[in-house]
Amino acid sequence: AQSVSQHNHHVILSEAASLELGCNYSYGGTVNLFWYVQYPGQHLQLLLKYFSGDPLVKGIKGFEAEFIKSKFSFNLRKPSVQWSDTAEYFCAVKRDTGRRALTFGSGTRLQVQP
Amino acid sequence: DGGITQSPKYLFRKEGQNVTLSCEQNLNHDAMYWYRQDPGQGLRLIYYSQIVNDFQKGDIAEGYSVSREKKESFPLTVTSAQKNPTAFYLCASSADVTSTDTQYFGPGTRLTVL
């Protein structure tokens, strides 16, 4: 069974610091990769997604992620965080075959201090 | 206003009672999903449906049941057989179940068993 690992459970940063959140998955076949964000009191919403092509994908609010196939990784980055980035971030994987629902990581809670 | 609605937002039930959570979408999506979110565990798939009158078990289907009689509706029943039902429940939908398709999420229902 595939799994998704997010190694950072709780990250605390000051405003303007750079962010990198790790995500690794275990499935060996073709996958599609997603990062979702859950702001306090709001719906889970899509930040960015990778299907094919350029492994560096850009999303909303200045976020980007890089797919490294050899490392089974899809890390999320932002050069300079803001207080409004305080949220919980989830990495998710969807296989190209078989079950087509998302498998989520356990999430990373990001707290940005002003 | 298009989207996914879940009701109620908060739900309390006594042990031994079944309870049904509502999920409605007006996005004309074929696929719908139910996830359970627990602190530190991310989202786990309960059931999903690719099309009307069809649904499949996810990773944690025991103690839950669903129906998909209409395209826009996918109610989830939490039965008394679910040993630890207190959680945050999220409904999602996507246009179809292809691996490239994005899932959109509702606001969630927080269920507390007293």
Side-chain angles (χ1 to χ4, degrees), chain A residues 53-78:
Chain A
D54 189 344
L56 184 63
V57 292
K58 296 190 183 300
I60 60 171
K61 305 188 181 187
F63 286 90
E64 64 179 31
E66 184 175 14
F67 171 51
I68 304 179
K69 190 174 182 179
S70 60
K71 295 185 178 180
F72 298 89
S73 71
F74 190 54
N75 292 355
L76 181 71
R77 300 195 292 245
K78 187 171 184 179

Side-chain angles (χ1 to χ4, degrees), chain A residues 20-36:
Chain A
E20 181 160 3
L21 300 182
C23 173
N24 289 88
Y25 64 93
S26 63
Y27 183 64
T30 301
V31 294
N32 297 290
L33 301 155
F34 304 78
W35 275 98
Y36 280 85

Side-chain angles (χ1 to χ4, degrees), chain B residues 25-32 68 71 93-95 102 104:
Chain B
Q25 54 97 0
N26 61 5
L27 302 167
N28 199 34
H29 284 171
D30 281 326
M32 297 187 73
R68 187 86 189 276
K71 186 175 185 177
S93 72
S94 63
T102 299
Y104 297 89

